[in-house]
Amino acid sequence: MLILGIETSCDETAAAIVRDGREILSNVIYTQIPLHAPFGGVVPELASRNHMEKISPVVEEAFRQAGVKKEAIDAVAVTSGPGLVGPLIVGVSFAKALSFSLGIPLIGVHHLDGHIAANYLSFSDLEPPFLALILSGGHSHFYNVKAFGDYELLGATRDDALGEAFDKVARMLDLPYPGGPHLEKLALEGKPSFELPVTLLEEGSLDFSFSGIKSAVKMLIDKIDLEKEKANVAASFQETVFSIVTEKIRRALRLSEKKRIVIAGGVASNQRLRALLDELPAEVLYPPLSICTDNGAMIAAAGYYLYEQGKCSPLTLNARANLSLSSTEDLWITCG
Ligand code: KG4
Ligand code: ZN
């Protein structure tokens, strides 16, 4: 079964063709980073317009690279939320038009379901149940993945998502947007010489809180010679937040009595985090760098498992800016 996956929830226009939910035939990502960089963050209106310009050529390129004709695909999967509403509408409208004109099923996918499914593309025999931790620009959430597409929320950030905290601290350090990867690079040149608050919240809690650390960095910056200490601040921030993440993972494994956890989302591409994860006494899986950040292949993979469960979307599918992973049922009707 060949599925075209489309992702336009933020600042990447992405399309991919995936066979049987596991094998990537093509994965085309057009990033808008240079477009938004001068503004220090994503400008939603610019993002929408740029998605409209790029969606068609990106999808064409996905077919070309896969060596597949449009008529050969069996379904089209698309991110319907959460994300920026304008960008989402572009992908959803395009997917609906393709589904209608080719007479093939449409499958609305939750963006986080996609991030988790990136691991199905990387580990061919991975199947639920397992624990999942999503660390992206919008989410820092622990889930118990009970079955394909069946998620129980175990904990979430109470303020900033981890990627968002990286981006905000990076901005304080005058690093370009998006800050995460730049902060990681800068941290390599420094030492974690400053103490920042390790916020673990109540015993047993799988929630996160990163805003206190962000404020502590701000206060620290006001006191020191920033130019001289920049790399040390980056390293201190990174080590502090990752010590929290690894401690919470230990906690999640202990509380759930599970031995396997899957990590997903943009922050999972951080090499320092990966090194720390490899030291944990458990099976910790994360996808290769190429499919950690937003892409169409992960959406096609998630779409495959939904289709297998008979879940397809009507042509009235909408963009849903605030879609929660535990309230996705109304995206679907029975396929057929
Ligand atoms: O999953 P993603 O591509 O988009 C969302 O769904 O949000 O994640 C993007 C986030 C951004 O906040 C970005 O700064 C962060 O992931 N990120 C990183 C790294 N690469 C991306 N954070 C830390 N280290 C990285 N290497
Ligand atoms: Zn994402």
Side-chain angles (χ1 to χ4, degrees):
M1 173 157 191
L2 294 178
I3 296 191
L4 167 70
I6 295 178
E7 153 66 41
T8 62
S9 68
C10 189
D11 57 351
E12 259 95 38
T13 317
I17 294 173
V18 171
R19 179 180 284 138
D20 297 335
R22 300 272 178 178
E23 188 194 345
I24 301 176
L25 302 190
S26 66
N27 191 21
V28 178
I29 304 169
Y30 170 82
T31 179
Q32 302 180 349
I33 286 175
L35 177 71
H36 301 293
F39 303 95
V42 181
V43 184
E45 185 57 26
L46 288 181
S48 309
R49 288 182 201 199
N50 202 241
H51 280 302
M52 275 172 49
E53 248 171 59
K54 292 297 185 302
I55 182 79
S56 187
V58 164
V59 169
E60 291 295 330
E61 184 60 15
F63 279 108
R64 198 190 66 77
Q65 286 186 18
V68 162
K69 289 213 164 56
K70 288 207 180 68
E71 295 67 34
I73 55 164
D74 299 291
V76 49
V78 64
T79 306
S80 67
L84 299 170
V85 72
L88 284 167
I89 287 172
V90 177
V92 169
S93 310
F94 196 90
K96 288 203 277 198
L98 258 184
S99 153
F100 180 71
S101 61
L102 294 170
I104 54 172
L106 172 73
I107 308 160
V109 173
H110 190 288
H111 185 73
L112 296 190
D113 205 358
H115 273 300
I116 291 171
N119 284 281
Y120 301 137
L121 293 164
S122 329
F123 306 100
S124 56
D125 45 12
L126 175 66
E127 279 184 14
F130 52 78
L131 287 178
L133 171 60
I134 300 180
L135 298 171
S136 71
H139 295 84
S140 296
H141 287 45
F142 272 108
Y143 289 99
N144 176 16
V145 185
K146 295 191 267 186
F148 287 113
D150 184 0
Y151 297 100
E152 177 193 2
L153 182 64
L154 302 177
T157 181
R158 296 182 187 173
D159 37 63
D160 291 350
L162 184 55
E164 186 183 359
F166 262 90
D167 294 341
K168 288 179 177 169
V169 168
R171 209 169 306 156
M172 294 179 206
L173 299 175
D174 289 324
L175 297 173
Y177 152 87
H182 291 282
L183 197 151
E184 174 182 13
K185 225 163 109 199
L186 181 63
L188 287 174
E189 297 163 26
K191 294 219 153 48
S193 49
F194 296 109
E195 207 166 306
L196 295 167
V198 178
T199 316
L200 290 170
L201 305 172
E202 312 83 59
E203 207 173 306
S205 167
L206 293 179
D207 288 349
F208 291 103
S209 171
F210 296 114
S211 72
I213 304 163
K214 189 185 64 188
S215 309
V217 171
K218 178 87 190 73
M219 274 163 29
L220 175 67
I221 286 176
D222 290 339
K223 277 195 308 212
I224 57 174
D225 177 352
L226 187 58
E227 276 322 301
K228 223 174 80 199
E229 301 281 6
K230 229 177 188 178
N232 293 336
V233 174
S236 304
F237 169 77
Q238 187 172 265
E239 287 305 304
T240 306
V241 291
F242 287 162
S243 75
I244 295 169
V245 168
T246 47
E247 177 52 32
K248 291 281 173 171
I249 292 174
R250 286 175 200 275
R251 211 178 253 187
L253 291 163
R254 203 165 56 232
L255 291 172
S256 67
E257 296 178 353
K258 295 220 161 50
K259 293 198 169 45
R260 188 166 59 176
I261 182 161
V262 153
I263 318 287
V267 185
S269 48
N270 186 293
Q271 300 289 355
R272 177 63 186 146
L273 176 62
R274 288 166 175 251
L276 292 168
L277 294 176
D278 291 344
E279 287 170 13
L280 288 171
E283 192 186 350
V284 187
L285 305 178
Y286 43 80
L289 291 177
S290 57
I291 49 173
C292 266
T293 45
D294 294 347
N295 65 85
M298 69 185 199
I299 302 304
Y304 175 79
Y305 293 102
L306 293 170
Y307 186 80
E308 289 268 281
Q309 293 168 3
K311 291 174 174 171
C312 290
S313 300
L315 283 174
T316 52
L317 179 73
N318 254 328
R320 301 259 296 271
N322 298 310
L323 185 63
S324 121
L325 196 46
S326 40
S327 64
T328 45
E329 280 303 321
D330 61 347
L331 293 182
W332 310 301
I333 50 173
T334 308
C335 299

